């Protein structure tokens, strides 16, 4: 016979296994414009109505970036559309939002971002359990010829896939 504690732990483990991370927004422009050197998961400080908007998927990470301010890492220019039923006290949709990281992680990112050509960009926003998380990456900008090379390789692979499907179909 299992004890109460063992059954409780088993239920908690199965509940954790059922939880899936729900991706809310992806910064496709950053994926195209940068090489990612290192990525880190960070929490984000949001107001209650903003969390409801994030759950609905009213988030845009396009043109957003991370900036170090007073020892804190902040997410700038991230669009979170105000929740429709919030009333008169809706927060600014493009306000700066604090990213929650350990001091050592912030110092490490700041020292690497200070090097020439490096920046910190948000890659995606998602739910992990009941918390909203942002994946940020230390990134190095791509040159125009590198972007064109990526497009060329993608087109070649697409045409090859089409030809393979045409032969098999």
């Amino acid at each position: 016979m299992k004890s109460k504690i063992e059954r409780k732990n088993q239920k908690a483990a199965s509940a954790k296994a059922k939880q899936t991370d729900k991706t809310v927004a992806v910064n496709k422009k950053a994926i195209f414009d940068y090489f990612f050197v290192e990525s880190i998961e960070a929490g984000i400080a949001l107001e209650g109505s903003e969390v409801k908007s994030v759950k609905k998927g009213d988030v845009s990470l396009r043109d957003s970036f991370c900036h170090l301010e007073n020892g804190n890492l902040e997410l700038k220019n991230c669009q979170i559309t105000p929740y429709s039923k919030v009333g008169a006290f809706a927060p600014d949709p493009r306000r700066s939002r604090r990213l929650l990281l350990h001091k050592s992680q912030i110092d490490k990112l700041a020292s690497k971002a200070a090097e020439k050509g490096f920046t910190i960009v948000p890659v995606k926003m998602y739910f992990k359990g009941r918390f909203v998380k942002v994946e940020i990456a230390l990134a190095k900008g791509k040159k125009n010829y590198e972007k064109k090379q990526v497009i060329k390789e993608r087109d070649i692979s697409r045409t090859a896939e089409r030809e393979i499907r045409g032969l098999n179909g």
Side-chain angles (χ1 to χ4, degrees), residues 25-153:
V26 177
N27 192 350
K28 291 181 182 177
K29 187 166 174 46
I31 294 169
F32 182 71
D33 287 342
Y34 297 99
F35 291 115
F36 298 136
V37 178
E38 179 183 348
S39 65
I40 295 177
E41 177 184 80
I44 184 169
L46 297 174
E47 293 183 11
S49 62
E50 289 177 325
V51 175
K52 289 184 178 191
S53 292
V54 170
K55 279 185 183 177
K56 280 179 52 181
D58 294 339
V59 179
S60 174
L61 291 175
R62 188 178 179 96
D63 299 328
S64 59
F65 60 96
C66 297
H67 181 67
L68 205 73
E69 214 169 90
N70 299 329
N72 293 322
L73 196 63
E74 295 197 358
L75 182 63
K76 303 268 187 178
N77 212 22
C78 174
Q79 170 82 29
I80 298 180
T81 308
Y83 187 62
S84 59
K85 297 180 175 98
V86 74
F89 301 106
D92 180 30
R94 290 205 179 260
R95 72 180 182 90
S96 296
R97 293 167 180 90
R98 187 169 168 226
L99 294 176
L100 307 173
L101 291 167
H102 292 284
K103 191 72 173 166
S104 60
Q105 291 175 318
I106 293 173
D107 293 339
K108 183 179 170 185
L109 278 173
S111 65
K112 289 183 179 180
E115 295 176 26
K116 189 172 189 277
F118 284 97
T119 187
I120 304 168
V121 293
V123 179
K124 68 179 180 178
M125 187 179 286
Y126 56 94
F127 277 94
K128 187 171 185 180
R130 64 188 184 109
F131 299 107
V132 179
K133 299 288 184 176
V134 178
E135 182 181 321
I136 58 174
L138 182 68
K140 187 171 176 80
K142 288 183 184 177
K143 306 286 185 211
N144 281 336
Y145 65 87
E146 293 169 331
K147 293 178 191 177
K148 289 177 185 175
Q149 183 67 31
V150 169
I151 293 170
K152 186 177 177 182
E153 289 171 0

Side-chain angles (χ1 to χ4, degrees), residues 152-169:
K152 186 177 177 182
E153 289 171 0
R154 193 176 340 145
D155 288 343
I156 290 169
S157 66
R158 279 187 192 153
T159 55
E161 284 289 324
R162 276 191 217 120
E163 289 175 9
I164 290 170
R165 273 190 268 131
L167 294 173
N168 292 337

Side-chain angles (χ1 to χ4, degrees), residues 1-4 6-7:
M1 294 268 307
K2 292 183 180 177
S3 68
K4 271 187 173 180
E6 288 175 339
R7 281 183 289 197

